[in-house]
Amino acid sequence: RRRPPPSTSILKSKRSQRPSTELAAAADDDAAGASDDRRTTPSQPPFSLPTALFLAGLAFDAYVEPPPDSSRWERGSSGCSVAFLSPAYTRSLYKGIVEVTPLRASDLPDEDDAAESLITGGGVDAALLVSVVEGAWKEDVTKLEKEQFHNGVLDLAGCAHVGRSSTAWSNVDEKKAKRNKAKGGSGAYHVKSSWGRGGQAVWEDDPPFYLYVQDPKTARLVFTLFDEDVVGGGQPIGSAHRRLAELLPGAKSDDAVSALKSQVIDQLRQSGKLQEAITIQTNPETGEEETIIDQDVVLRAINEMYSSATKADIKMSSKPRIKDKGGQRAMGMAAGAMIAGPAGAAVGGLLASMYEGEVRGKVEVELKYTPIPQVDLKMKERERYRVKGGLPGVEWGELYERMLGYGNDAGGGDDPRISGPQGLEFCAFVTHDETGCSCAIYRSLERRLICVSFRGTCAPVDLVTDASIAQVAWVDGEDVEEEDTVMIHAGFRKSLNSISRRLKELVLAAVAPGEDLSEYDVLVTGHSLGGALATCFVLDVAEYGMDAGRGLPQLEPSEAWWNGIASTFAKKVKIGAPPPPPRPRSLKMYNFGSPRVGDTAFCKKFDSLVEDGSIDEAYRIVNDQDVVTRFPRTVNALVLGSIDYDHCGPTVLITELEKQMSKMDEEKATFRQREMLWIEGESDDAACPIRDGNALSDPLGSGTLLGDIWDTLQQGDKEEKEETSSPFNFAKLGNMAEKVTGRLQQLSAEDVGSVIGIDKRFTQREIRFLKSIFTGEGLSHHMEDRYYQGMGMCAGYLALAGQELTPLEQLGRTEIEEAMTGGESA
């Protein structure tokens, strides 16, 4: 692909600006080994400060997760859940929401697993699964209509999400359920079967779950009663399917949806709530005032209009085949033998093997359908999202806008492909219950821009993901014993793989109707763990396209990439002639405080995709002594073997405010913005100080303990040879001994390491690294407020959490110190 024109950059061209003397010196001090250890950075457009600042706000904004009890959540059966936050984006995918409240299941069979009966009781441990099957999924519709025996919801290929009730365990009766509920647990319980009456499951005050519907006229609800096992997962009891329009006739009314907006406005006006739903905003592009209606207030009003729910009794009509028929075959043979001897035994065994048993189970649910109103895609009809950040008092959006409007030499003007945060639309938030992997999706239809921001370490499960150093193959199924297999951090891959497929479906759906991903720029970012996940995601998309037919790369063939959003692409895709996965117009990644992701082969693959233009820009931004960016460490051990880790893309180092202040000798000295950033491969040719480098050196090299002693002895020997005629001089020997003794008195940890061939500069760097961990300084540099401060300084502002942004050129040293002291107190 041809590269797009370079974006506005803090550096006009490579190596065209004077580098930060402090950071360049640090790089020289820290870079262990000779110049041939320095890594060649891939060719790409220069680092863009506006892009970095824009994405920094999104990287930290992803830490704010939507409320867990919101009706906007789509709960997936695999643990992957999506919160739809923009009505316009949601409406492009779905036309309505079905609220399902499970009430009761009856005519349940008894448990046929003896071991399970001993653990949980004699009845089945019932849970209800409900999914939506859309008309575009012909194979699912055929299975439901034509096949008598199947696993219901568990056999569906096209359902992106499945609602699930709690489990009514058979050893929990009504009294125990009440005690569980009082402790904050589930109120579900089991009623044992009796003569002529099957068991029952009662979901007492079970919360509703929500299913999104693409086309309510053709959609079907699939109900599956599931017997959950403590050991082995469980199996379906029975399934049934019904058309949504049959259960809820109002769901197919187009008139109701088209008239919905005016009805809502009238209802809000009559209730006196219209004023709180309306705000006046100034369009930053036109300068005109616009009336914005709060979408949350509108959705609540719609929900009240459709407040009546319908109860439905659903009898199960299909079931899975019986897997083990040994017992019933033996009984059939015995019965047949009693009637007709050996011939009867054969017939009885044959009939018994053909018998699949009766379908059991009936479920009672409460259903409610709420249409999603059509939203005009003009910006004034949509809700604008303002980026703030994860911490109170941090204003990333304002900092970005102020920098673009403030004529400093670092900003260099606006990037025409980047809209300000006020022009963004927050589309969706994706998360996984088990892995904790989370990300946010934003878009700007005006700029044809899609942003994906991965959340960093936030929950205990994220710490487990971060702490591991084990590696697996990047492409699932490849032999890890092969020398050229690309390896990646096992925790990072597992985490991203849990949401990757659904995430790519949602990104594909973020384009405007009639447009294609190839017309859109995609920006990817993340902080901490999120930065590592962003790196993996970008590598996947750059190499294979936006392949939504699978998670991360695998040897097994992918499914059709459009399956998850079939209705969106139904007019474009011809079944039987599948096009390759689409690619964005441009793909850029700026991450912050990212740990190392994979081995050297992984990084070479990533850099090669930057070099050939598949990745348009990729930078890894590090705040001074951020310790997280130095992990995971390369390990060479007898037990673990060799585990190699390296960085992807060039490093961008930020000088912290305190270090800049140490240079300000005069009261009114100003900051030199060009000295605030060191960019690997642009600022100079120094090696990156946060890479491992080469730990080994010559034990007799200059500056080492043995090297200094050897130089002293060599100098003495040289002088002795020059004065061969003179007798042995004890004074010279004493002078040599004095020099050696003086050097030994200066013995340090670095000298001890150098004796066995460990580079002295490598040891110094590792000591500083360990010191930063134990003092907590390294971790403090990893936090959002320190990145906000560092990025703000690069943009020309004093940016402290909870304080107003102030141009640095207006401040002297005393004023800055007072502001920082006030910020720490706050």
Side-chain angles (χ1 to χ4, degrees):
R1 296 189 296 122
R2 297 182 62 185
R3 289 188 178 277
S7 58
T8 303
S9 172
I10 187 174
L11 300 178
K12 304 305 178 186
S13 62
K14 289 193 174 184
R15 302 181 181 87
S16 63
Q17 303 284 359
R18 182 166 56 87
S20 164
T21 53
E22 179 176 329
L23 285 173
D28 287 335
D29 291 341
D30 288 341
S35 61
D36 56 1
D37 291 322
R38 291 168 183 160
R39 184 168 169 271
T40 302
T41 57
S43 175
Q44 61 176 320
F47 174 79
S48 168
L49 181 58
T51 303
L53 188 55
F54 174 78
L55 290 176
L58 297 184
F60 291 100
D61 195 65
Y63 280 96
V64 182
E65 183 172 333
D69 56 349
S70 170
S71 63
R72 297 183 176 192
W73 280 101
E74 165 197 275
R75 301 292 179 183
S77 59
S78 62
C80 181
S81 301
V82 181
F84 291 100
L85 301 169
S86 162
Y89 175 71
T90 309
R91 189 61 171 80
S92 68
L93 281 168
Y94 304 108
K95 292 184 179 179
I97 305 174
V98 178
E99 179 183 297
V100 183
T101 304
L103 301 176
R104 178 185 299 266
S106 57
D107 191 27
L108 299 176
D110 289 332
E111 179 65 66
D112 58 2
D113 187 323
E116 187 71 20
S117 296
L118 292 174
I119 298 174
T120 63
V124 295
D125 307 305
L128 176 64
L129 308 179
V130 186
S131 181
V132 177
V133 172
E134 302 286 349
W137 290 90
K138 302 298 183 183
E139 61 269 37
D140 285 343
V141 175
T142 300
K143 182 183 292 291
L144 294 173
E145 292 184 342
K146 305 296 184 182
E147 296 184 18
Q148 183 179 1
F149 302 102
H150 54 77
N151 292 315
V153 169
L154 302 183
D155 276 350
L156 300 179
C159 60
H161 51 286
V162 177
R164 189 190 191 283
S165 72
S166 58
T167 301
W169 298 99
S170 60
N171 59 357
V172 176
D173 58 17
E174 186 175 4
K175 291 183 179 179
K176 189 173 182 179
K178 289 182 178 179
R179 292 196 297 269
N180 291 341
K181 190 176 178 182
K183 296 177 182 178
S186 170
Y189 62 91
H190 181 82
V191 178
K192 295 185 180 299
S193 62
S194 58
W195 179 258
R197 183 180 179 183
Q200 298 182 58
V202 180
W203 293 286
E204 187 73 32
D205 295 330
D206 220 42
F209 47 84
Y210 301 88
L211 304 173
Y212 285 84
V213 180
Q214 293 177 353
D215 186 354
K217 292 182 179 180
T218 61
R220 301 162 188 256
L221 294 183
V222 183
F223 303 84
T224 296
L225 282 171
F226 184 78
D227 178 17
E228 183 171 0
D229 290 343
V230 175
V231 180
Q235 58 282 324
I237 300 168
S239 300
H241 65 94
R242 298 280 296 276
R243 288 184 178 273
L244 177 62
E246 295 175 1
L247 295 170
L248 298 168
K252 63 180 180 180
S253 173
D254 288 332
D255 294 337
V257 177
S258 61
L260 193 59
K261 183 173 289 187
S262 60
Q263 293 179 31
V264 168
I265 298 299
D266 290 340
Q267 187 186 67
L268 290 173
R269 185 180 291 110
Q270 293 172 10
S271 63
K273 298 179 180 179
L274 184 60
Q275 194 60 37
E276 67 179 81
I278 292 178
T279 56
I280 306 298
Q281 295 183 3
T282 302
N283 189 316
E285 298 174 3
T286 64
E288 298 177 355
E289 289 190 346
E290 298 176 350
T291 301
I292 307 297
I293 298 178
D294 189 326
Q295 299 295 337
D296 285 330
V297 176
V298 173
L299 286 177
R300 285 197 298 269
I302 293 172
N303 197 52
E304 291 173 5
M305 290 177 62
Y306 285 79
S307 58
S308 59
T310 301
K311 285 188 178 181
D313 291 323
I314 311 295
K315 189 180 188 320
M316 302 298 104
S317 56
S318 61
K319 63 185 289 296
R321 291 185 181 274
I322 300 174
K323 295 180 180 179
D324 184 5
K325 297 182 179 179
Q328 70 182 43
R329 188 182 297 112
M331 293 178 62
M333 291 176 65
M338 291 176 62
I339 298 173
V347 174
L350 177 62
L351 293 175
S353 65
M354 296 173 61
Y355 181 66
E356 295 292 343
E358 63 177 330
V359 180
R360 300 283 301 273
K362 182 179 178 181
V363 64
E364 182 183 353
V365 295
E366 196 170 72
L367 302 173
K368 179 180 174 183
Y369 177 79
T370 303
I372 301 173
Q374 184 70 47
V375 180
D376 192 335
L377 289 180
K378 294 180 181 179
M379 176 53 75
K380 66 179 181 180
E381 293 281 343
R382 287 182 285 131
E383 183 179 1
R384 291 194 183 100
Y385 182 74
R386 186 172 184 83
V387 176
K388 297 181 70 68
L391 290 177
V394 171
E395 294 286 349
W396 287 102
E398 182 181 352
L399 176 60
Y400 174 75
E401 293 169 10
R402 293 278 291 275
M403 187 206 72
L404 293 184
Y406 180 65
N408 59 62
D409 62 346
D414 196 355
D415 183 332
R417 288 191 301 277
I418 297 178
S419 169
Q422 78 281 359
L424 282 181
E425 184 183 351
F426 193 176
C427 297
F429 186 88
V430 188
T431 188
H432 195 278
D433 298 337
E434 179 184 347
T435 66
C437 184
S438 304
C439 77
I441 304 171
Y442 310 81
R443 71 176 180 180
S444 171
L445 296 180
E446 291 73 20
R447 300 300 199 278
R448 288 193 171 96
L449 175 70
I450 298 173
C451 302
V452 179
S453 175
F454 289 89
R455 188 182 69 181
T457 305
C458 190
V461 67
D462 297 332
L463 298 176
V464 176
T465 299
D466 293 347
S468 169
I469 63 169
Q471 292 181 336
V472 294
W474 165 241
V475 178
D476 185 41
E478 287 191 344
D479 187 358
V480 297
E481 299 299 328
E482 293 290 334
E483 186 176 350
D484 58 349
T485 299
V486 175
M487 303 293 287
I488 182 179
H489 186 286
F492 297 161
R493 193 188 194 285
K494 177 183 177 182
S495 183
L496 180 58
N497 197 51
S498 67
I499 70 167
S500 180
R501 182 172 184 176
R502 185 62 177 145
L503 170 59
K504 286 182 280 190
E505 292 173 354
L506 296 171
V507 171
L508 288 171
V511 303
E515 296 182 345
D516 186 77
L517 186 67
S518 61
E519 303 173 62
Y520 280 71
D521 300 310
V522 173
L523 303 182
V524 186
T525 189
H527 168 253
S528 190
L529 167 63
L533 300 176
T535 303
C536 301
F537 182 76
V538 166
L539 178 59
D540 180 21
V541 174
E543 188 171 11
Y544 302 101
M546 199 70 68
D547 188 354
R550 55 149 175 82
L552 291 180
Q554 60 188 30
L555 290 182
E556 290 290 325
S558 299
E559 297 178 18
W561 57 264
W562 64 84
N563 269 356
I565 45 175
S567 64
T568 305
F569 294 98
K571 296 181 180 179
K572 296 183 180 181
V573 177
K574 295 182 179 180
I575 306 300
R583 295 176 179 272
R585 178 171 61 187
S586 70
L587 179 63
K588 300 180 183 180
M589 180 196 72
Y590 284 62
N591 65 38
F592 301 83
S594 171
R596 301 164 181 174
V597 178
D599 65 356
T600 301
F602 181 92
C603 296
K604 287 182 177 178
K605 177 182 282 291
F606 187 96
D607 288 351
S608 70
L609 293 169
V610 177
E611 187 72 35
D612 69 18
S614 298
I615 301 174
D616 295 86
E617 293 177 29
Y619 289 97
R620 181 172 178 267
I621 300 164
V622 177
N623 189 44
D624 205 43
Q625 295 298 316
D626 184 348
V627 71
V628 173
T629 62
R630 277 80 172 173
F631 281 104
R633 313 289 285 169
T634 294
V635 174
N636 292 283
L638 294 176
V639 177
L640 297 174
S642 177
I643 301 178
D644 165 35
Y645 278 101
D646 202 354
H647 301 302
C648 293
T651 298
V652 178
L653 278 177
I654 304 173
T655 301
E656 285 229 320
L657 185 59
E658 291 86 348
K659 289 187 177 181
Q660 283 288 324
M661 288 184 60
S662 66
K663 301 179 187 179
M664 297 174 64
D665 298 327
E666 301 177 9
E667 170 61 25
K668 293 188 178 181
T670 58
F671 286 87
R672 292 167 290 183
Q673 287 180 268
R674 293 175 185 172
E675 296 190 6
M676 297 176 187
L677 290 176
W678 178 84
I679 305 167
E680 184 180 10
E682 291 187 22
S683 297
D684 53 37
D685 290 323
C688 175
I690 62 172
R691 299 186 189 276
D692 283 342
N694 186 2
L696 302 180
S697 65
D698 181 4
L700 297 180
S702 177
T704 66
L705 175 64
L706 295 182
D708 290 346
I709 295 175
W710 177 254
D711 289 343
T712 301
L713 296 177
Q714 287 288 95
Q715 181 65 28
D717 184 56
K718 180 179 179 181
E719 293 175 357
E720 184 178 345
K721 288 180 179 179
E722 291 174 354
E723 302 175 8
T724 52
S725 58
S726 62
F728 184 76
N729 192 330
F730 284 98
K732 290 182 179 180
L733 179 62
N735 186 41
M736 290 171 56
E738 183 179 352
K739 289 181 178 179
V740 171
T741 302
R743 181 65 180 84
L744 290 173
Q745 289 175 347
Q746 300 173 9
L747 188 67
S748 65
E750 296 93 322
D751 292 325
V752 175
S754 71
V755 172
I756 58 175
I758 299 178
D759 189 276
K760 183 176 179 180
R761 288 170 297 178
F762 179 87
T763 306
Q764 291 172 341
R765 189 195 65 189
E766 293 301 293
I767 290 174
R768 288 200 300 271
F769 171 70
L770 292 173
K771 181 180 178 181
S772 70
I773 293 177
F774 289 117
T775 61
E777 181 183 8
L779 285 176
S780 71
H781 288 202
H782 185 66
M783 299 296 106
E784 179 182 5
D785 58 334
R786 302 299 282 270
Y787 272 92
Y788 181 61
Q789 175 183 301
M791 292 296 293
M793 181 182 64
C794 296
Y797 285 85
L798 179 63
L800 300 174
Q803 298 191 31
E804 292 290 329
L805 294 170
T806 307
L808 286 172
E809 67 175 13
Q810 299 178 7
L811 301 175
R813 180 179 186 131
T814 302
E815 294 170 304
I816 294 175
E817 288 176 343
E818 290 176 353
M820 291 183 64
T821 304
E824 292 173 0
S825 301

